[in-house]
Amino acid sequence: MESASVAAHTATHDEHHGPPPANQSSRVEAQVLGMLLFIISEVMLFGAFFTAYFFVRVVADNGDWFPIDGKELPKVIAGINTAVLVSSSFTMHWALEGARRGNRRAMQVGLVSTLALGITFLSVQINEYVHIGFAPSDFAQASVFYGLTGLHGAHVFVGLTLLAFATTRAFRGHFSPKEHRGVEVPGIYWHFVDVMWIIVYTTVYLL
């Protein structure tokens, strides 16, 4: 009887050994919450660049943004490129829905399509830099233009890197309807990149 009591006490002690379980105060998974918090910090970073943009625009001698010295922004090409990037959000959503429903083919095709559209966007952006006709050091507006679009381009590159990892894992069979955070988290980041470009394009190229 005594040995049974000791054994029960030992089992109880073992159950409570170590730190208590973490209190999960949010229904959002840790990986998703971490990405959302990271995006909030990136919004603040873009906010600083937009502040510089509006400051330069307000204090410009002629009050204009572009054209300057005969230099204009390629609005039409940038508009087509915007459509390319926006369409990648739909293919990303397609990939995530495929992962959630266990449709491996849809997930794979969606990820590859998103990756291809993102690479196309970045390639067109780089080509625009090559042929635009002014350098960041030419005038203040050019510095802000390259700063904002270059910052976004860096985020596109990071997003493409995440998508490349997700695509590789998708073809290796790592995802399932119950475990697809490896697609969902990069997808959240990619949607942020797309939305931010719409704001950049509207503000810099159209207004």
Side-chain angles (χ1 to χ4, degrees), residues 27 40 49 72 110 200:
R27 293 183 179 180
I40 291 174
F49 277 77
E72 294 192 29
V200 171

Side-chain angles (χ1 to χ4, degrees), residues 155-204:
H155 282 73
V156 172
F157 179 78
V158 173
L160 289 174
T161 303
L162 296 175
L163 287 175
F165 282 115
T167 303
T168 301
R169 294 185 61 194
F171 278 92
R172 292 181 176 179
H174 289 187
F175 302 123
S176 67
K178 293 183 178 180
E179 180 52 61
H180 52 264
R181 284 190 296 272
V183 178
E184 182 178 8
V185 174
I188 294 172
Y189 182 84
W190 192 253
H191 291 314
F192 159 72
V193 169
D194 288 2
V195 171
M196 189 53 65
W197 175 251
I198 294 174
I199 298 174
V200 171
Y201 172 70
T202 303
T203 304
V204 176

Side-chain angles (χ1 to χ4, degrees), residues 88 91-92 94 107-119:
S88 70
T91 56
M92 187 69 237
W94 179 25
M107 175 182 61
Q108 293 171 344
V109 173
L111 285 171
V112 170
S113 299
T114 306
L115 196 60
L117 290 169
I119 293 173

Side-chain angles (χ1 to χ4, degrees), residues 31-201:
Q31 295 88 338
V32 176
L33 180 60
M35 177 56 72
L36 293 176
L37 293 175
F38 174 73
I39 287 175
I40 291 174
S41 70
E42 294 303 286
V43 170
M44 294 178 182
L45 177 60
F46 273 97
F49 277 77
F50 276 113
T51 300
Y53 160 81
F54 285 112
F55 177 80
V56 169
R57 189 156 187 168
V58 168
V59 302
D61 293 335
N62 55 7
D64 294 330
W65 173 239
F66 275 97
I68 297 175
D69 298 333
K71 306 292 192 307
E72 294 192 29
L73 298 179
K75 298 179 181 179
V76 176
I77 295 176
I80 296 173
N81 211 24
T82 299
V84 170
L85 191 62
V86 170
S87 63
S88 70
S89 269
F90 292 97
T91 56
M92 187 69 237
H93 178 72
W94 179 25
L96 179 56
E97 286 301 309
R100 287 172 173 169
R101 297 175 181 178
N103 188 338
R104 189 172 302 279
R105 178 57 60 183
M107 175 182 61
Q108 293 171 344
V109 173
L111 285 171
V112 170
S113 299
T114 306
L115 196 60
L117 290 169
I119 293 173
T120 301
F121 172 86
L122 197 58
S123 300
V124 172
Q125 189 74 50
I126 294 173
N127 184 69
E128 179 182 316
Y129 287 164
V130 173
H131 297 94
I132 201 167
F134 57 83
S137 58
D138 287 350
F139 38 82
Q141 288 89 333
S143 300
V144 175
F145 168 78
Y146 276 98
L148 262 174
T149 57
L151 177 66
H152 180 268
H155 282 73
V156 172
F157 179 78
V158 173
L160 289 174
T161 303
L162 296 175
L163 287 175
F165 282 115
T167 303
T168 301
R169 294 185 61 194
F171 278 92
R172 292 181 176 179
H174 289 187
F175 302 123
S176 67
K178 293 183 178 180
E179 180 52 61
H180 52 264
R181 284 190 296 272
V183 178
E184 182 178 8
V185 174
I188 294 172
Y189 182 84
W190 192 253
H191 291 314
F192 159 72
V193 169
D194 288 2
V195 171
M196 189 53 65
W197 175 251
I198 294 174
I199 298 174
V200 171
Y201 172 70

